[in-house]
Amino acid sequence: MAKEPVPGRVKTRLTPPYRPEDAARLAEAALADTLETVAGVRVRRRLLVLAGRPGPWLPDGFEVVPQSGGGLDERIAAAFALCDGPALLIGMDTPQITPELLAAAADFGEQDEHAARFGPAADGGFWALGLARPRPGLVLGVPMSRPDTGACQRRRLVEAGLAVRELPTLRDVDTAADAAEVAALAPSGRFAAVHARLARAAGAVAR
């Protein structure tokens, strides 16, 4: 799931210190890195559930559908409803993900329909949610954008009787400190390059 990187509509918690245009550049780079990683994983279907319009950051091989209305829980549930088999949902906030990590997370093997994957985020949310059999109702009603969002979602999976395999905890890009840390974790990506350019520009202005 992703948003079109439009200034003033994405990564608003990065402003300040970044300008809305700079925050949108970082968002676009994060999205491009994420999509490139997904494109490198062997899967049956790559689905981009997008709020907005596709741009030059979209590689080949993706089916694009618009996000539904409603809250984030409703939009995630609607995304799972588009799937007819094992599905792994991620966002655009973790450009440090690798093809190896995603491939392992998306591999449900011969497990039964009660398998799930859960990737906690450092801020208390989650960066990945995988279900061997998509069940949109497992997301509906989960409180979003709270420090306990991830705990609530994981509890919902366990209470439904699913065998939950936990993925590594990753840091979302929400704040300027997050951006700096994530850029350091993936120094060869577009996100790190944009972050470095913005840092150099800020240094030049400060001097």
Side-chain angles (χ1 to χ4, degrees):
M1 292 187 67
K3 289 182 180 179
E4 179 187 1
V6 176
R9 296 178 59 187
V10 292
K11 296 297 165 202
T12 54
R13 289 175 61 189
L14 291 176
T15 56
Y18 294 102
R19 300 178 306 161
E21 295 80 7
D22 296 333
R25 291 187 185 98
L26 286 167
E28 180 174 337
L31 178 55
D33 281 345
T34 302
L35 293 174
E36 182 179 3
T37 300
V38 174
V41 179
R42 295 185 62 182
V43 291
R44 179 170 61 88
R45 185 185 185 197
R46 298 179 184 88
L47 186 65
L48 175 61
V49 184
L50 181 65
R53 298 170 298 178
W57 36 262
L58 178 64
D60 294 333
F62 284 82
E63 177 185 348
V64 181
V65 297
Q67 283 189 26
S68 69
L72 181 55
D73 63 319
E74 295 171 291
R75 287 178 277 141
I76 293 175
F80 274 114
L82 297 170
C83 303
D84 58 2
L88 179 72
L89 181 141
I90 64 170
M92 57 185 283
D93 295 338
T94 51
Q96 71 272 42
I97 56 172
T98 64
E100 294 77 18
L101 176 57
L102 278 191
D107 182 12
F108 286 91
E110 299 300 321
Q111 298 183 63
D112 64 17
E113 63 183 23
H114 300 291
R117 304 285 184 266
F118 181 75
D123 64 359
F126 59 91
W127 67 268
L129 179 62
L131 297 170
R133 178 171 68 87
R135 296 166 63 178
L138 291 178
V139 184
L140 286 173
V142 172
M144 295 288 161
S145 302
R146 294 188 349 189
D148 63 343
T149 291
C152 292
Q153 181 61 76
R154 194 182 192 288
R155 184 165 56 248
R156 182 76 70 85
L157 301 176
V158 172
E159 290 174 348
L162 302 187
V164 181
R165 191 177 92 192
E166 192 129 330
L167 305 173
T169 299
L170 298 183
R171 188 166 184 171
D172 287 338
V173 175
D174 289 324
T175 67
D178 295 331
E181 181 170 319
V182 169
L185 290 171
S188 61
R190 294 180 181 85
F191 183 84
V194 171
H195 184 268
R197 284 199 298 271
L198 293 176
R200 287 194 297 269
V205 170
R207 288 194 296 272

